[in-house]
Amino acid sequence: MTFPWAQHYDPGVLSRWAGHHFLARLLLQAAEQSPQAPALVFFGRTTTYGELNTQTAGLASALQKLGLAPGERLGIFLPNCPNW
């Protein structure tokens, strides 16, 4: 895979890239290893990795119930903030 933004990364960063599920794996790993560690801080509210994992799993479940199958793509156009 080629990523146009890769030229701006420090050396060795892309060696950890493991495909299109990379972010999901990192979130799960962080939630398992440090569920109480802060993942997001937004307007003074902290969301832990455990909470973030629970929220993303809930979203995935809801999308599957609406008919989205594993491997299908979904575009989400919302403001760039944790609430969305």
Side-chain angles (χ1 to χ4, degrees):
M1 277 188 227
T2 334
F3 306 104
W5 55 87
Q7 64 184 334
H8 304 288
Y9 287 174
D10 290 332
V13 170
L14 285 182
S15 65
R16 295 195 61 200
W17 191 268
H20 66 282
H21 294 291
F22 178 69
L23 185 58
R25 273 197 299 267
L26 284 179
L27 174 59
L28 183 58
Q29 182 181 25
E32 289 172 348
Q33 292 176 356
S34 305
Q36 297 304 316
L40 302 169
V41 179
F42 187 70
F43 281 114
R45 184 188 184 288
T46 300
T47 301
T48 67
Y49 280 107
E51 292 169 330
L52 186 59
N53 186 54
T54 298
Q55 292 168 1
T56 56
L59 175 60
S61 176
L63 291 172
Q64 287 177 345
K65 287 178 184 174
L66 290 172
L68 191 70
E72 289 185 312
R73 293 176 187 241
L74 170 71
I76 300 176
F77 299 95
L78 296 167
N80 187 15
C81 66
N83 300 13
W84 303 114

